[in-house]
Amino acid sequence: MPRYVPALLFAAAMTLAGCASTRADRAGDGAAQPQLVLVTTADWNATQGRLQRYLFEGGQWLAVGEPVAVSIGRNGAAWGRGLRAAPDDGGPLKREGDGRAPAGMFAVGTAFGYAETAQTALAYAPMSASHYCIDVPASPLYDRIVDARRVGDEAVKGSTEPMRRDLHADGDPRYRLGFVIAHNPAHVPGAGSCIFAHLQRAPGEPTAGCTAMSDAAMDELLAWLRPQARPLFVLLPQAQYRAVWKAWGLPQPVAD
């Protein structure tokens, strides 16, 4: 397959060449090479997906490790706001409270968790009982993680996203470890907020719009990600992936 150079693949990140992917289990090699976390699902309404890591090396995307099962939104996925404009293909658009995970290409943001530290090279923010992600569209802090000790209790009033779910939601472990998926970076009210990759509470249990995985998969993913590689998170249904992969400079689709 001929190589090509897609325009503005990484938008604010970097431009790369794309080619067919091959398998490579060298997860620790090439820390500065671009990294990709790719989630594909069967269709817009699927609640389960497949996550595969990729490293861009030697002019091509190399698959790293084995694919892992993930869960996404309870109502599937919808086009989100990220680094690439959503195609005008009639697909659903992400809205606050729709129970859908945002589809598209997004930057990987800060890691977070219940502990003071984590085994990751990403920037890491320990969460406390006073941390909330604001999912109230009318709030000036919409789609931001804030500390009530700094912004005041009134500022977090109405938020349904305490970041210490173990303390506020009957021991819920899902936010014990995770990272921000930078959907809606302009914090457009009502376009969807608080989108994370986080731990699953039970295998196969869908989410409110995040991507959930096993503890082991999260540990491996966070240990692999490197901020200097400007990692990307891409989530797409299979038909949409086949439609945009070449223009977006992504790995060649694998057989269904």
Side-chain angles (χ1 to χ4, degrees):
M1 175 176 291
R3 295 177 183 176
Y4 56 92
V5 181
L8 301 178
L9 168 61
F10 278 82
M14 59 177 64
T15 301
L16 300 173
C19 193
S21 62
T22 58
R23 182 153 305 279
D25 293 311
R26 294 171 291 171
D29 290 348
Q33 273 88 356
Q35 295 175 314
L36 170 67
V37 180
L38 173 63
V39 173
T40 52
T41 64
D43 53 46
W44 284 120
N45 297 318
T47 63
Q48 308 300 307
R50 172 186 181 273
L51 182 152
Q52 177 66 62
R53 294 177 288 148
Y54 288 91
L55 182 70
F56 194 81
E57 186 175 19
Q60 60 185 343
W61 286 112
L62 304 177
V64 176
E66 296 299 320
V68 298
V70 296
S71 299
I72 65 164
R74 62 180 179 272
N75 293 320
W79 285 118
R81 293 172 176 263
L83 298 176
R84 302 298 299 246
D88 186 13
D89 63 354
L93 300 178
K94 173 66 183 167
R95 295 288 183 264
E96 183 67 41
D98 62 2
R100 291 181 180 270
M105 177 184 287
F106 313 99
V108 170
T110 301
F112 60 82
Y114 297 168
E116 285 300 312
T117 61
Q119 297 299 311
T120 183
L122 295 178
Y124 176 80
M127 297 290 101
S128 70
S130 57
H131 280 96
Y132 289 80
C133 188
I134 306 302
D135 56 357
V136 181
S139 171
L141 298 174
Y142 180 68
D143 191 35
R144 295 168 173 86
I145 297 175
V146 299
D147 188 341
R149 293 172 299 185
R150 297 185 178 182
V151 301
D153 291 338
E154 191 65 24
V156 303
K157 187 176 181 180
S159 173
T160 65
E161 287 293 336
M163 297 304 295
R164 284 299 300 266
R165 298 189 62 84
D166 57 332
L167 302 177
H168 292 276
D170 299 322
D172 189 335
R174 284 177 287 183
Y175 290 178
R176 182 183 65 78
L177 197 58
F179 60 86
V180 173
I181 297 170
H183 165 258
N184 194 14
H187 312 297
V188 176
S193 63
C194 309
I195 302 300
F196 310 133
H198 62 66
L199 302 177
Q200 61 187 12
R201 184 166 55 182
E205 180 183 54
T207 72
C210 297
T211 297
M213 65 194 74
S214 69
D215 290 30
M218 179 62 75
D219 288 344
E220 188 170 21
L221 181 55
L222 283 177
W224 176 73
L225 289 168
R226 297 288 185 270
Q228 62 267 40
R230 298 180 177 89
L232 293 175
F233 183 94
V234 172
L235 187 153
L236 290 167
Q238 291 174 357
Q240 283 65 40
Y241 187 80
R242 289 192 293 268
V244 305
W245 73 273
K246 186 173 289 188
W248 288 17
L250 297 171
Q252 184 175 5
V254 298
D256 295 343

